[in-house]
């Protein structure tokens, strides 16, 4: 008996640990049982966006002054892609593909607390501002909302002659994730956001590979920390996602080819330069990277509790 007591005393911490582990294992089982009827909205990240439509005096629905329907449809496409929605172009059943659990909402409240459609139309020909090139700082001169409360997207009145040549641009989040230096990290007072030439925003009949609204999906990937699968054009150090086959060259078009490891590259990945028509996958590692950014980058993290959502 006294031997048994001594044994228990000597091993008390291990016994408690074993008991605790059994308890944890059991509660996990309970969770599995509970998830038979899961709440699909439970673990979603909702992020507010504002679309600044920059035009040159065209009536609404003409040229760069995009129709409200086209803008709303673009946000719907973005969500189809990020949520891997069945029955849409954004669906895949690839073993490495996933639902990002990230959803975008056109802002409902503006920075002054007033109701908004999340669309701001601005005639830039009425402004006299310095030309700062094809950059966030340039377009923010016309219209910009606090980037810790809204994801700013500018559709720009680019000339139709350079359609399909100049696509989107996005700033990136500064975190301790490897490869961050390959993103366009803004300087302290720079504007943050995504630029998309109006012809590539939403669906259109434009005659090129970027006409189904995937430029925004790609740029939003950058905005949440994703790199191109080829990143620094290096087989060893590329996008830091093990489930996107390594590749050390740009990926265009719609025909897969053999990558670094002798396996086929992932032609349909949103982070390629592939054709909009065949893009349909974010991988689980890409999703983890975006979640890391949303959990650790102060500005991106603040978006989930933005007043713009209400
Ligand atoms: N070239 C742009 C970038 O690196 C966007 C490419 C988007 N591709 C597309 N098929 N829409 O950010
Ligand atoms: Zn890119």
């Amino acid at each position: 008996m006294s031997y048994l007591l001594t044994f228990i005393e000597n091993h008390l911490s291990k016994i408690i640990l074993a008991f605790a582990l059994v308890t944890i294992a059991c509660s996990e089982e309970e969770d599995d049982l509970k998830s038979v009827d899961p709440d699909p909205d439970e673990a979603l990240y909702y992020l507010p966006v504002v679309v600044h439509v920059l035009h040159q005096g065209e009536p609404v629905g003409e040229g760069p002054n995009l129709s409200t329907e086209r803008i709303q449809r673009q946000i719907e496409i973005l969500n189809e892609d990020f949520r891997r929605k069945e029955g849409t172009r954004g669906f895949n059943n690839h073993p490495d593909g996933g639902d990002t659990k990230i959803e975008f909402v056109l802002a409902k409240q503006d920075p002054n607390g007033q109701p908004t459609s999340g669309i701001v139309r601005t005639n830039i020909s009425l402004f006299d501002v310095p030309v700062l090139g094809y950059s966030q700082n340039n377009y923010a001169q016309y219209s910009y909302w606090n980037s810790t409360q809204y994801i700013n997207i500018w559709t720009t009145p680019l000339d139709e002659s350079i359609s399909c040549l100049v696509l989107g641009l996005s700033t990136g989040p500064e975190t301790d994730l490897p490869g961050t230096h390959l993103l366009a990290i803004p300087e302290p007072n720079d504007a943050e956001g995504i630029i998309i030439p109006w012809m590539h925003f939403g669906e259109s009949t434009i005659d090129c590979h970027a006409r189904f609204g995937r430029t925004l999906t790609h740029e939003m990937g950058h905005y949440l920390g994703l790199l191109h699968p080829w990143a620094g054009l290096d087989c060893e150090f590329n996008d830091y996602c093990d489930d996107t086959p390594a590749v050390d060259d740009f990926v265009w078009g719609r025909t897969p080819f053999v990558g670094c490891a002798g396996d086929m590259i992932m032609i349909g990945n949103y982070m390629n330069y592939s054709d909009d028509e065949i893009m349909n996958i974010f991988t689980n590692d890409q999703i983890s990277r975006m979640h890391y950014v949303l959990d650790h980058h102060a500005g991106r993290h603040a978006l989930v509790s933005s007043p713009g959502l209400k």
Side-chain angles (χ1 to χ4, degrees):
M1 181 64 192
S2 73
Y3 172 74
L4 182 63
L5 274 180
T6 316
F7 177 88
I8 290 176
E9 267 165 27
N10 288 346
H11 294 83
L12 192 60
S13 60
K14 281 183 212 151
I15 292 167
I16 290 173
L17 183 65
F19 183 72
L21 285 177
V22 169
T23 316
I24 290 168
C26 291
S27 60
E28 260 175 22
E29 236 166 69
E30 260 170 40
D31 280 351
D32 283 351
L33 289 178
K34 265 187 259 155
S35 67
V36 169
D37 188 19
D39 174 356
D41 286 348
E42 209 171 12
L44 292 187
Y45 293 87
Y46 289 103
L47 308 180
V49 304
V50 53
V51 179
H52 306 279
V53 179
L54 307 182
H55 62 87
Q56 289 161 325
E58 299 85 356
V60 174
E62 201 175 283
N65 201 354
L66 299 168
S67 72
T68 298
E69 295 69 37
R70 181 158 159 181
I71 295 161
Q72 289 168 340
R73 175 66 188 131
Q74 169 68 86
I75 302 305
E76 192 176 57
I77 292 169
L78 182 65
N79 286 324
E80 289 170 359
D81 293 351
F82 270 76
R83 296 300 318 280
R84 194 177 62 166
K85 286 218 180 104
E86 247 181 285
T88 74
R89 213 182 279 285
F91 184 69
N92 72 74
N93 47 25
H94 191 287
D96 293 314
D99 165 0
T100 69
K101 304 274 181 184
I102 301 168
E103 225 168 287
F104 302 90
V105 182
L106 276 167
K108 296 177 180 157
Q109 201 182 130
D110 75 10
N112 300 317
Q114 297 304 308
T116 176
S117 62
I119 301 171
V120 182
R121 298 177 186 277
T122 303
N123 180 352
I124 67 167
S125 56
L126 303 176
F127 286 68
D128 184 16
V129 294
V131 178
L132 302 176
Y134 188 64
S135 73
Q136 284 78 7
N137 287 344
N138 186 53
Y139 299 114
Q141 296 181 105
Y142 307 107
S143 190
Y144 186 51
W145 290 5
N146 180 346
S147 67
T148 66
Q149 295 191 341
Y150 305 91
I151 299 177
N152 287 269
I153 302 170
W154 297 272
T155 67
T156 64
L158 224 61
D159 196 87
E160 270 181 279
S161 64
I162 44 174
S163 295
C164 311
L165 294 174
V166 177
L167 294 182
L169 206 61
S170 175
T171 56
E174 182 155 35
T175 66
D176 58 1
L177 283 170
T180 293
H181 65 286
L182 295 166
L183 295 166
I185 305 296
E187 296 293 325
N189 289 313
D190 284 354
E192 295 192 64
I194 295 172
I195 302 169
I196 313 255
W198 69 272
M199 317 75 123
H200 299 295
F201 194 83
E203 288 167 315
S204 75
T205 52
I206 196 169
D207 188 19
C208 76
H209 72 293
R211 63 185 163 103
F212 291 107
R214 265 58 194 281
T215 302
L216 181 57
T217 308
H218 177 107
E219 300 310 331
M220 196 60 82
H222 287 314
Y223 199 75
L224 298 176
L226 298 188
L227 303 170
H228 298 133
W230 56 87
L233 298 170
D234 180 317
C235 276
E236 200 180 341
F237 301 103
N238 42 69
D239 65 350
Y240 302 92
C241 291
D242 291 340
D243 56 4
T244 58
V247 57
D248 62 354
D249 204 354
F250 301 92
V251 179
W252 293 92
R254 49 177 68 216
T255 313
F257 55 90
V258 174
C260 293
D263 52 352
M264 280 294 178
I265 56 121
M266 190 181 267
I267 190 74
N269 198 282
Y270 293 118
M271 298 317 292
N272 290 328
Y273 292 161
S274 317
D275 292 5
D276 273 18
E277 200 170 343
I278 56 118
M279 285 179 158
N280 70 350
I281 181 169
F282 281 124
T283 66
N284 292 314
D285 286 354
Q286 288 178 316
I287 294 168
S288 304
R289 203 174 153 100
M290 293 192 274
H291 288 179
Y292 183 90
V293 167
L294 287 171
D295 294 339
H296 294 90
H297 182 277
R300 301 292 189 269
H301 183 68
L303 293 168
V304 303
S305 49
S306 166
L309 292 165
K310 291 171 215 127

